[in-house]
Amino acid sequence: GYATFGASGARWDANLTLPYLRIDRKEGGITSQEQGTGDVVARGVYRFLPESEDGWSLDGVGALKLPTASDTKGLGTGRTDVGGFLSLHQQLGIFQWTLLGGWIQGVSSSNDTLSSDAYVVGLSGAWVLDRNRWGLSFEARGATYQGEPGVREISLEVFHPLSSKWGVKAVVTAGLSDGGPRQNVGLALVRLFP
């Protein structure tokens, strides 16, 4: 699971994610488990093109992953990563679809089995139903470690406004490849700014 602390305005969004991980491994008939805090991720979004009359908009996203998790326990990579992404959106009534593309670059690491960079692509749909904003997304990322499969995952999320300034967001993610976690659950308390 994870906790996300964030803020947003009319053309920007920023957050900090603090994950807590539990990893179960089976090797040679022996099952082991590691758990602890994961790598902290800071993310910022800026809306370059506000929504047009026909519903199109374009966001730029920057992300920074700090190596706060134990790489010896397998909870993190032990390196700093930076990423840049573009998100193209179209709003169609209560439905919005998004196409995401970007790149992650590893900055520093003493581990030569890590891939130095990775692509990120995704497709998602979101809709509003009874004040709740629902979303379903698919994301694919390049491999973290050389010679291993990349991450493929599908996520379902819901955002529920508690008031005009506060909301709560829940996310459930299922891994579709051996390159990432099998499942993940997250809950975020979101503070909205005018």
Side-chain angles (χ1 to χ4, degrees):
Y2 60 88
T4 298
F5 303 93
S8 62
R11 292 186 70 160
W12 62 273
D13 177 322
N15 65 46
L16 186 68
T17 300
L18 311 167
Y20 187 83
L21 307 173
R22 187 187 86 190
I23 298 176
D24 298 317
R25 291 188 182 87
K26 288 185 179 181
E27 295 180 31
I30 299 172
T31 302
S32 65
Q33 183 184 92
E34 295 290 350
Q35 57 185 342
T37 57
D39 291 333
V40 171
V41 178
R43 182 184 70 86
V45 178
Y46 184 76
R47 177 142 295 167
F48 289 117
L49 299 175
E51 190 173 307
S52 65
E53 287 183 20
D54 54 358
W56 292 94
S57 61
L58 179 69
D59 296 344
V61 182
L64 173 66
K65 180 183 72 72
L66 301 172
T68 55
S70 170
D71 58 335
T72 58
K73 290 182 176 182
L75 300 175
T77 61
R79 79 168 181 205
T80 300
D81 292 338
V82 294
F85 316 93
L86 288 176
S87 293
L88 179 65
H89 313 276
Q90 187 180 29
Q91 186 74 39
L92 300 167
I94 65 166
F95 183 79
Q96 179 186 54
W97 70 268
T98 299
L99 180 63
L100 168 75
W103 201 257
I104 298 171
Q105 181 69 48
V107 175
S108 62
S109 175
S110 59
N111 187 342
D112 60 1
T113 63
L114 289 171
S115 298
S116 62
D117 50 17
Y119 66 88
V120 177
V121 293
L123 179 63
S124 66
W127 60 97
V128 176
L129 186 62
D130 295 328
R131 291 186 354 142
N132 297 315
R133 181 178 169 89
W134 294 85
L136 182 64
S137 63
F138 170 79
E139 187 173 296
R141 295 189 297 277
T144 302
Y145 293 94
Q146 296 175 22
E148 291 192 6
V151 175
R152 308 287 182 269
E153 56 192 24
I154 190 165
S155 297
L156 176 65
E157 66 181 56
V158 61
F159 175 81
H160 177 75
L162 300 172
S163 69
S164 62
K165 295 183 179 182
W166 291 94
V168 64
K169 179 179 176 181
V171 182
V172 176
T173 301
L176 304 175
S177 72
D178 290 335
R182 289 283 176 216
Q183 67 267 336
N184 187 15
V185 177
L187 186 63
L189 181 63
V190 179
R191 169 76 161 99
L192 304 171
F193 293 90

